[in-house]
Each structure stands twice: as structure tokens, then as C-alpha cells.
Amino acid sequence: MALSSKDLIGLEHMSQEEITLILDTADAFRAVFDRPVRKVPIMRGKTVVNLFFEPSTRTRISFELAEQRLSADIINFSASSSSLKKGETLRDTAENIAAMKIDMIVMRHSSPGAAQYLADVLDASVINAGDGPHEHPTQGLLDIMTMRHKLGSLDGKKVTIIGDISHSRVARSNIYGLTKLGAEVTLCGPPTMVPGAMEQLGAKVEYDLKKAVRDADVLNILRIQLERQSQMVFPSNREYALMFGIDEDVLRTTKPECFVMHPGPMNREVEISSAVADGPRQVILDQVTNGVAIRMAVIYLLSGGDPGSLAGRG
Ligand code: CP
């Protein structure tokens, strides 16, 4: 089995089998992390360009680490010191980079559709590292990988996503991926951040936080994205924390085995209290570790790697 596209733009059009292939391949790479030498020579001679037009800590470093661990050659592009500042278009920038015979582009951009646009005009593989509020597929995959490690099969499991759903590419990729694997997804937040129309994506909408968390197996808490809001959609951070923030009092109303995730970066004491963020029920740093394995798997599979040949590497 192989991926059907040369690109990874989102999970919306990916099959359950393709998602499972990436998760299984990531598990094989994850096993390498505990070895003294974590590098494998699989991408030797291939070049990957990282194009980040928006700030990033986790995703940028995680992709770069994944590329290094696969022994790829890496170019990091800085938009602020590029010819984009002189008026060059994204297409011209990308075509010039591709003319240097690179194999893959990883791109984060503020415009939904930017990754698809590049994928359509370039022969090189394009991986979407987040395109505005549209999708962040590797974040969705690393979240699902972390849930799968904790819960086993996701079929019938209850995942509650809390926060700024309407601005969230992470929420969209989670919803698409989780529902394909049989999970029941509930979305919760203020109505200004969780439009009822989101139910069309296959998730349930619940505005009462107590009801939304009561039967959940996992809470995936999203960051309030102040940078994507043209006007405040809730009165104050304090009010949001009181109504929808996840603290120890909220956790006491969940099943004892329910665990907590957050894609980062966190607004501590707004959507999540520090006691929860650093507490025994969170798996936030496991998500970050799994992110490297997911990105190794995606890069490997898009490069035509044979997952069968990874057997025994762990
Ligand atoms: N989760 C995530 O995408 O984090 P960064 O913005 O730091 O990459």
C-alpha cells in the first residue's frame, strides 16, 4: 500500500487506509527514537525546502528534525529576507526554488489553499504545515497517533475538542481524521467560535462544557487564536477561562481515565490552567515527540518509501 497523492494537503480527502498507513509507519519510526543513533539514511541525496511564512516553533523544528533523522539535505527559507519583500509572487518564488531540483516543499502560510496551489503548479511533493484556518494535517495525525497509543482503536471513542473551532486548522484536521477512524467527535466553545454549521463536518456541537466533557475519553484543548480574530468574539480572557477554560475542577467532572491534549502554543490560565497543563493527565509533550515520527513517516511515504522495509528497524 502507498499514498495516492504526491502531496499531503489535508486529511479531508485521505482514506482511512492511508491514515492508518501513516500511523503505522510513524510507530516504526517512533521505535527508533529510543536507540543511541536515531538517524536512518533513507532520504540521503534528497532535498527538502522548509517555507514558513507564519511563526512556528513545534512544527518547524519538528519537520527539520524529521528531515535530519532521515538524512535529507535541508534548506530553510526565511520569507522576511527573501525576494517576496520585493514583490515576487508565491508561485514565482516556488518555481524558482523547484528549478533548483528540490524534491519536497514543506509550507506554512496564512492563506487557506496556498499549499494546494503550490502542489498544483509544482512537480515536487508539497506538505501542508498549516494553511490559515483550513488544515494542519501533520498536527491532526500526531494528535491521532497520541490518542491511538493511549486508547488503542479509536472506533467508538469520544473525543471532545474545546475552543476556537472556527479559526482552527487543527480542529478541522482532527475532525476529518478522527471521524474516518470511527471516533465520535464533540465540539465545544462559545457559539461565536463554534458555529452550529460545523456539524456538517460530522461532529456534534455542544455549548455546555459540563455535558461536553462528561463522557469524553480525551479532551483536545485548542489555543485561542487572537491573531486570526478581526474583533473579540468573547468579552475577555478571564470570561473565557471561567466559561470554557479547562482546570482541575472541570477535570474532576470527567471520567478518571480521560486525558488532556493541547497542540500548543498554550495560553496558560486562558484555555488551560497550569495545574492541568503540567498535571498527571496531560500528554502534551508526548504529542510533540510523536510529531517528529509522524513527519518522518509522511516524508518517507511521499518519497516513495516502502513501509514493509521498515520492519525490524525498531
Ligand atoms: N502546534 C503547532 O502548529 O505549533 P507551532 O505553531 O509552534 O508550529
Side-chain angles (χ1 to χ4, degrees):
M1 158 119 202
L3 298 180
S4 60
S5 169
K6 74 175 177 65
D7 312 296
L8 176 63
I9 305 302
L11 302 189
E12 181 177 6
H13 302 297
M14 195 164 253
S15 69
Q16 184 199 60
E17 291 74 23
E18 287 179 299
I19 291 172
T20 303
L21 174 69
I22 296 172
L23 296 172
D24 291 345
T25 307
D27 282 341
F29 281 121
R30 180 73 182 74
V32 174
F33 291 3
D34 297 324
R35 285 186 184 175
V37 179
R38 300 188 192 99
K39 217 164 163 170
V40 288
I42 289 168
M43 291 282 290
R44 193 173 284 157
K46 304 238 175 160
T47 306
V48 184
V49 179
N50 298 313
L51 292 176
F52 277 74
F53 294 93
E54 271 195 337
S56 168
T57 298
R58 277 146 292 269
T59 311
R60 188 174 53 79
I61 293 174
S62 180
F63 266 111
E64 196 172 332
L65 196 54
E67 293 151 11
Q68 281 181 9
R69 288 190 176 167
L70 292 171
S71 309
D73 295 320
I74 304 165
I75 308 289
N76 287 316
F77 169 92
S78 165
S80 60
S81 57
S82 74
S83 289
L84 286 161
K85 287 279 167 204
K86 300 176 195 162
E88 186 169 66
T89 63
L90 173 62
R91 179 178 182 150
D92 283 337
T93 298
E95 283 184 340
N96 276 273
I97 293 170
M100 298 178 208
K101 304 296 172 205
I102 53 101
D103 299 287
M104 190 172 282
I105 290 180
V106 175
M107 184 170 78
R108 170 169 289 190
H109 200 281
S110 57
S111 297
Q116 183 66 63
Y117 174 70
L118 272 204
D120 290 345
V121 298
L122 299 182
D123 291 331
S125 289
V126 175
I127 301 177
N128 180 11
D131 59 335
H134 172 229
E135 278 221 46
H136 189 351
T138 55
Q139 180 71 45
L141 289 163
L142 74 89
D143 289 345
I144 294 168
M145 177 178 178
T146 308
M147 292 180 211
R148 211 171 69 141
H149 286 180
K150 292 282 287 179
L151 298 170
S153 164
L154 288 171
D155 195 30
K157 298 296 189 310
K158 293 182 167 54
V159 180
T160 296
I161 306 176
I162 303 154
D164 190 359
I165 312 287
S166 61
H167 291 97
S168 177
R169 53 196 176 206
V170 176
R172 275 177 190 74
S173 292
N174 264 258
I175 295 166
Y176 293 133
L178 285 166
T179 52
K180 281 182 180 151
L181 297 184
E184 294 171 24
V185 181
T186 299
L187 309 174
C188 182
T192 45
M193 289 179 168
V194 189
M198 304 265 341
E199 289 198 335
Q200 288 165 8
L201 302 181
K204 190 177 139 197
V205 170
E206 173 58 70
Y207 296 117
D208 181 334
L209 181 67
K210 279 201 175 74
K211 286 186 190 162
V213 305
R214 192 169 51 204
D215 299 320
D217 296 298
V218 47
L219 307 183
N220 199 357
I221 305 166
L222 302 182
R223 183 173 69 89
I224 300 301
Q225 301 196 42
L226 299 168
E227 77 277 19
R228 292 197 207 284
Q229 292 172 15
S230 50
Q231 57 182 52
M232 287 293 279
V233 291
F234 53 92
S236 68
N237 286 355
R238 170 104 185 107
E239 194 130 4
Y240 183 87
L242 283 171
M243 296 286 292
F244 293 100
I246 303 301
D247 60 15
E248 287 178 306
D249 287 341
V250 174
L251 276 198
R252 273 190 277 276
T253 69
T254 65
K255 297 196 288 192
E257 65 274 22
C258 172
F259 60 96
V260 171
M261 300 174 58
H262 192 302
M266 290 184 275
N267 298 303
R268 284 173 181 261
E269 311 305 342
V270 181
E271 71 264 6
I272 187 168
S273 73
S274 279
V276 172
D278 303 324
R281 288 168 70 178
Q282 58 79 25
V283 292
I284 295 167
L285 295 180
D286 290 339
Q287 291 173 256
V288 177
T289 306
N290 290 337
V292 180
I294 283 289
R295 286 156 185 141
M296 288 175 80
V298 168
I299 293 166
Y300 175 68
L301 292 169
L302 290 179
S303 308
D306 170 15
S309 70
L310 294 176
R313 277 186 184 273

